[in-house]
């Protein structure tokens, strides 16, 4: 039987992102051996050209584009034990895979690996972002090897919102199976998926070194969801799953204020 790769980046591409090439370069520039593939549900000469330029296997999913099916397709196409679904607008520091593999060899029951991330807005990293500091506090339990296999500890990182950066996540496919995302949500798809995975056996490890640059801009799915008010609707549903309704209303007051700070003053990114 052919042995699977240890790790693979599965780059989920949509249309013609001006940031895709930087993403590809970052995953191919890792200081630990890995592989990468390019997956899409919106095939184009641009994407095919990128795949050829960087000699990446290129996979096209038939059917209408949607986040859940596109992510599941990217996950399924990666023939590796550890799979990172890379978002086309984001970049990975060269030490990402090395940190991942070190954690994996130390804890064989690891089902999820993630890292801290720096938000890039208008071409500039937001290194003093208050929301980032809050998320680091929520993830404290995931840094303890004595606790980060417990369901309640994993859920503690998700109780006040999703403190785990989605593009920083690597999933252990051997433990989690071939289908990863089952949610009908679009914006909080990753949050609900993590909450479900938290109930399953396995250790979650978060490396607090910022090894991912997460870009927000006008064309990003996150901004579109908030423009259509889907984010608020879906987050209310998630909070109602976790908290009594009076507390949900309280948490959402803070979230409404955070929306403007997250996408406010986004100019065309020239970088």
């Amino acid at each position: 039987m052919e042995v699977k790769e240890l790790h693979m980046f599965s780059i989920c591409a949509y249309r013609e992102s001006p940031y895709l090439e930087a993403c590809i370069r970052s995953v191919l520039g890792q200081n630990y051996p890995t592989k990468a593939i390019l997956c899409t549900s919106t095939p184009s000469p641009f994407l095919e050209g990128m795949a050829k330029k960087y000699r990446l296997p290129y996979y096209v999913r038939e059917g209408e584009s949607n986040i859940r099916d596109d992510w599941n397709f990217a996950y399924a196409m990666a023939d590796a034990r550890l799979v990172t679904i890379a978002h086309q607008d984001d970049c990975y520091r060269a030490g990402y895979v090395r940190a991942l593999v070190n954690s994996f060899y130390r804890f064989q029951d690891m089902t999820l690996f993630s890292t801290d991330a720096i938000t890039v807005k208008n071409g500039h990293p937001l290194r003093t972002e208050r929301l980032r500091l809050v998320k680091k506090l929520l993830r404290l339990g995931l840094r303890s090897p004595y606790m980060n296999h417990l369901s309640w500890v994993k859920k503690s990182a998700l109780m006040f919102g999703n403190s785990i950066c989605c593009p920083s996540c690597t999933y252990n496919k051997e433990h989690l199976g071939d289908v990863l995302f089952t949610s009908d949500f679009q914006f909080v798809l990753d949050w609900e998926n993590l909450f479900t995975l938290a109930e399953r056996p396995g250790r979650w490890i978060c490396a607090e070194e910022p090894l991912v640059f997460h870009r927000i801009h006008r064309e990003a799915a996150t901004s579109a969801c908030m423009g259509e008010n889907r984010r608020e609707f879906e987050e209310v549903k998630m909070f109602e799953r976790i908290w009594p309704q009076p507390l949900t209303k309280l948490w959402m007051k803070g979230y409404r204020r955070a929306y403007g700070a997250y996408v406010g003053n986004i100019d065309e990114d020239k970088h």
Side-chain angles (χ1 to χ4, degrees):
M1 179 182 297
E2 184 179 356
V3 178
K4 289 183 177 181
E5 300 288 343
L6 175 60
H7 172 261
M8 187 175 291
F9 284 103
S10 188
I11 305 171
C12 200
Y14 179 73
R15 294 183 177 173
E16 298 184 9
S17 169
Y19 312 113
L20 174 61
E21 188 163 17
C23 175
I24 294 174
R25 287 178 175 271
S26 75
V27 303
L28 296 181
Q30 294 294 305
N31 59 25
Y32 190 94
T34 186
K35 296 290 182 66
I37 61 176
L38 185 65
C39 300
T40 187
S41 59
T42 58
S44 67
F46 169 79
L47 293 178
E48 187 173 358
M50 281 291 177
K52 288 181 178 179
K53 179 177 180 178
Y54 291 98
R55 298 180 180 179
L56 300 178
Y58 178 55
Y59 300 101
V60 176
R61 182 181 75 81
E62 297 182 358
E64 185 177 354
S65 296
N66 66 79
I67 294 176
R68 181 189 64 190
D69 292 345
D70 288 349
W71 286 3
N72 274 329
F73 179 74
Y75 176 74
M77 291 298 100
D79 188 21
R81 299 172 70 181
L82 305 171
V83 179
T84 307
I85 301 176
H87 300 192
Q88 65 180 4
D89 299 330
D90 303 327
C91 290
Y92 296 79
R93 281 184 162 167
Y96 177 89
V97 174
R98 185 175 295 277
L100 160 67
V101 171
N102 287 342
S103 294
F104 173 70
Y105 283 133
R106 184 180 178 190
F107 301 104
Q108 293 290 300
D109 61 341
M110 183 187 78
T111 55
L112 179 80
F113 173 84
S114 64
T115 76
D116 190 16
I118 293 176
T119 300
V120 177
K121 184 177 178 180
N122 299 332
H124 302 286
L126 305 180
R127 295 183 180 275
T128 58
E129 185 185 9
R130 281 186 295 176
L131 182 59
R132 180 183 169 210
L133 298 177
V134 172
K135 290 181 176 181
K136 288 173 76 73
L137 290 174
L138 293 175
R139 296 193 300 261
L140 277 175
L142 301 183
R143 301 179 67 178
S144 170
Y146 302 103
M147 301 173 62
N148 57 13
H149 65 291
L150 302 173
S151 289
W152 70 268
V153 172
K154 292 182 283 187
K155 286 183 178 181
S156 69
L158 308 168
M159 297 294 283
F160 298 96
N162 186 6
S163 68
I164 299 174
C165 178
C166 183
S168 81
C169 290
T170 292
Y171 307 94
N172 189 328
K173 199 170 183 179
E174 288 190 330
H175 286 294
L176 298 177
D178 292 329
V179 178
L180 188 63
F181 301 96
T182 59
S183 173
D184 291 326
F185 288 139
Q186 295 187 54
F187 179 80
V188 302
L189 170 70
D190 53 330
W191 184 9
E192 185 180 45
N193 179 65
L194 288 172
F195 200 83
T196 300
L197 294 182
E199 298 173 346
R200 297 174 59 176
R203 185 181 305 274
W204 288 9
I205 295 176
C206 181
E208 285 298 341
E209 183 181 358
L211 297 175
V212 175
F213 290 94
H214 176 52
R215 188 188 305 273
I216 58 171
H217 57 93
R218 292 191 184 279
E219 301 302 320
T222 297
S223 301
C225 284
M226 286 184 284
E228 299 170 19
N229 295 320
R230 287 204 306 267
R231 172 176 176 164
E232 181 172 347
F233 171 79
E234 293 184 5
E235 285 187 325
V236 167
K237 292 297 183 183
M238 277 301 300
F239 275 126
E240 288 177 344
R241 177 176 173 180
I242 301 169
W243 298 99
Q245 191 174 56
L247 287 178
T248 292
K249 292 181 179 179
L250 179 64
W251 304 151
M252 285 308 300
K253 286 182 180 179
Y255 262 79
R256 290 187 183 98
R257 289 194 296 267
Y259 292 161
Y262 189 80
V263 296
N265 191 30
I266 298 179
D267 301 321
E268 285 301 320
D269 194 338
K270 302 301 183 183
H271 298 261

